[in-house]
Amino acid sequence: MDNFEYRGEKLHAEDLDLNQIAEQFGTPTYVYSRDTLERNYVAYSQALEGCEHLVCYAVKANSNIAVLNVLAQLGAGFDIVSVGELERVLVAGADPKRIVFSGVGKQTHEMQRALEVGVHCFNVESEAELERLQSVAAGMNCIAPVSLRINPDVDAKTHPYISTGLKENKFGIGIDQAPAAYAQAAAMTHIKVIGVDCHIGSQLTSIDPYLDAMDRLFGLIDTITAQGIAIEHLDLGGGLGVCYGDEEPPAIADFMARVRAHLGDRKLALVFEPGRSICADAGILLTRVEYIKNNQDKYFAIVDAAMNDLIRPALYSAWQDIIPVNLHSNSQAHNFDIVGPICETSDFLGKDRNLAIEANDLLAVCSSGAYGFAMASNYNSRNRAAEVMVDGDKSHLIGEREELSQQWAREHLLPKS
Ligand code: LLP
């Protein structure tokens, strides 16, 4: 259950009417619910009580500093993939000791900064990265804590672009090469092996692939333990799916319970890197209909949000529900394609949606809190949207709508010839 519900005929975010938010902040605007965000995080941490654990929110899903700060206040850890994300979480009040650093292409300066602040762990994805980290740590005269990201070769049965645990993906170290990579890491003077890591994909709606991955990683852990390498934690990554349409993903508590049961009496701390399951249903994209257009049999609602604001439908053919902010309508229902103003056929937010709408109506694109604003761009020289966090009956502007001059503030004309 999220906090976007109709009260009477008006869609609310927590206790606030979305009409009021559109009035005050304009559109398009991302609107987040603090309560949903907190409840999703707490669902993880509560289900893991009594078991040593770290829930590291995957910053890439929504990196607004207010979102990060709300989670940091609850004691969340963070999964970062760049120095940009590192600096963001530090600004937002994160504890460096609760940060894991993932990603296939960490640069030297990024490693240096992470070592300087003292992150909990580097999730290393290749032998070459291991060597670079060893030399960076040696240069700084410190020890880098490391977990190797293993590619367990399991099929997460999700969209090919967001499936990451198969052999053909660029991610991680193949499970067959892993014992040798661990031996290499253990022999390094400035590396301390502390964990085993995997992330098999995103928007998973079944727990079974996680349990398959665990079985494979248990086999690996037994092998490397026999080599005399002690493993303190098992990081299962993120990936739990959410309900965009008719998916039926497991509840966070059930997911955690199954994993704990599967862990049995192995003495391993558990680390998770959830992104989408923390923030997707904590956000909607609020947009206004500019024009209704009828090309013979086809109806279009041209709205003021576009693929630059929310690229998931265009990029992954993702389906997200689109609902009216005001239920009462005198207009006739049609099957609409909800499209933006961008000059591409792929610029749609939803297709074939049966809605009774007219120009000027407000719509909410549901479950947009994850990979929404975070993937926004300035394509077609459009300003990025505003972001508002609702907390009970209060709204807070947590991301200002971009201004045109900000778009070219970093650009320069050539010198006059
Ligand atoms: N850990 C690692 C190493 C990851 O690569 C990811 C996501 C996560 C954790 C968080 O996964 P989540 O819990 O959010 O599924 N833009 C796509 C999703 C890309 C996911 C990339 N990696 C989308 O909009 O569906």
Side-chain angles (χ1 to χ4, degrees):
M1 196 204 73
D2 63 39
N3 290 79
F4 298 94
E5 286 178 331
Y6 289 100
R7 296 198 183 163
E9 295 186 325
K10 295 173 189 318
L11 187 63
H12 281 61
E14 299 196 13
D15 297 328
L16 278 183
D17 179 350
L18 284 164
N19 289 286
Q20 205 178 313
I21 293 184
E23 190 70 32
Q24 190 175 348
F25 301 102
T27 53
T29 291
Y30 276 95
V31 183
Y32 307 124
S33 155
R34 177 176 187 164
D35 187 52
T36 308
L37 201 58
E38 293 188 333
R39 281 189 296 113
N40 287 337
Y41 172 79
V42 168
Y44 275 97
S45 60
Q46 261 177 6
L48 289 167
E49 262 171 26
C51 151
E52 206 188 323
H53 70 270
L54 199 51
V55 179
C56 295
Y57 165 68
V59 175
K60 61 170 79 70
N62 184 325
S63 53
N64 183 290
I65 58 170
V67 169
L68 302 176
N69 175 257
V70 162
L71 296 171
Q73 284 182 51
L74 296 174
F78 295 94
D79 167 46
I80 59 160
V81 292
S82 70
V83 75
E85 290 191 350
L86 176 56
E87 299 300 350
R88 271 180 183 275
V89 298
L90 294 175
V91 165
D95 173 1
K97 291 257 62 86
R98 301 172 84 77
I99 295 174
V100 296
F101 193 171
S102 302
V104 285
K106 297 177 199 76
Q107 296 180 24
T108 299
H109 72 100
E110 297 181 304
M111 291 175 171
Q112 281 166 339
R113 181 67 178 140
L115 285 169
E116 192 177 284
V117 303
V119 299
H120 175 64
C121 189
F122 288 84
N123 290 338
V124 169
E125 300 223 12
S126 65
E127 288 86 348
E129 185 191 334
L130 205 48
E131 278 162 24
R132 182 182 289 184
L133 185 58
Q134 152 73 11
S135 102
V136 172
M140 293 173 69
N141 204 16
C142 64
I143 304 284
V146 158
S147 170
L148 296 188
R149 175 167 175 185
I150 305 306
N151 189 330
D153 197 23
V154 296
D155 187 356
K157 301 204 167 44
T158 182
H159 190 286
Y161 283 13
I162 51 179
S163 173
T164 50
L166 282 171
K167 253 199 257 179
E168 63 252 37
N169 300 130
K170 70 176 174 184
F171 299 101
I173 295 171
I175 192 144
D176 301 335
Q177 289 158 258
Y182 269 101
Q184 185 191 348
M188 287 175 163
T189 51
H190 291 74
I191 297 284
K192 178 171 190 260
V193 171
I194 62 167
V196 171
D197 166 46
C198 73
H199 168 78
I200 55 177
S202 202
Q203 184 56 11
L204 272 71
T205 50
S206 157
I207 299 171
D208 295 339
Y210 287 102
L211 305 185
D212 285 354
M214 284 175 85
D215 287 336
R216 296 191 188 191
L217 296 180
F218 289 157
L220 170 65
I221 292 171
D222 291 342
T223 307
I224 56 185
T225 307
Q227 292 172 9
I229 301 168
I231 297 298
E232 296 165 22
H233 78 240
L234 174 60
D235 180 341
L236 290 172
L240 181 64
V242 299
C243 177
Y244 287 110
D246 54 8
E247 303 94 333
E248 289 177 354
I252 292 168
D254 295 341
F255 173 37
M256 293 297 100
R258 293 274 306 274
V259 168
R260 282 182 77 164
H262 211 67
L263 186 68
D265 49 15
R266 283 179 182 265
K267 295 269 161 296
L268 288 169
L270 286 174
V271 179
F272 292 93
E273 304 166 0
R276 191 191 316 267
S277 52
I278 301 270
C279 59
D281 65 356
I284 58 122
L285 173 58
L286 186 61
T287 181
R288 198 180 282 281
V289 178
E290 291 281 347
Y291 300 102
I292 296 288
K293 181 168 169 176
N294 176 7
N295 283 352
Q296 288 161 349
D297 292 342
K298 192 99 199 149
Y299 282 86
F300 295 95
I302 301 165
V303 297
D304 62 7
M307 65 188 285
N308 75 297
D309 299 301
L310 180 67
I311 203 174
R312 303 192 67 259
L315 191 56
Y316 316 111
S317 307
W319 191 96
Q320 294 184 218
D321 206 4
I322 301 179
I323 57 176
V325 167
N326 297 297
L327 280 180
H328 178 76
S329 168
N330 295 322
S331 23
Q332 216 200 319
H334 295 288
N335 281 348
F336 282 97
D337 283 5
I338 312 295
V339 302
I342 286 183
C343 309
E344 297 221 20
T345 305
S346 62
D347 180 27
F348 65 91
L349 300 177
K351 287 193 171 162
D352 226 12
R353 305 301 172 90
N354 195 262
L355 291 163
I357 48 175
E358 56 191 78
N360 219 32
D361 281 358
L362 288 169
L363 297 173
V365 186
C366 300
S367 299
S368 299
Y371 306 110
F373 188 91
M375 296 178 81
S377 75
N378 291 121
Y379 189 39
N380 275 213
S381 289
R382 288 168 49 84
N383 288 329
R384 283 179 300 168
E387 296 175 283
V388 170
M389 173 104 64
V390 174
D391 185 1
D393 61 0
K394 303 221 162 25
S395 58
H396 304 279
L397 183 63
I398 62 166
E400 289 174 27
R401 186 178 309 288
E402 214 164 13
E403 285 181 20
L404 286 177
S405 58
Q406 291 177 307
Q407 284 193 42
W408 49 82
R410 44 167 288 286
E411 301 172 18
H412 300 287
L413 298 174
L414 291 181
K416 287 205 175 73
S417 51

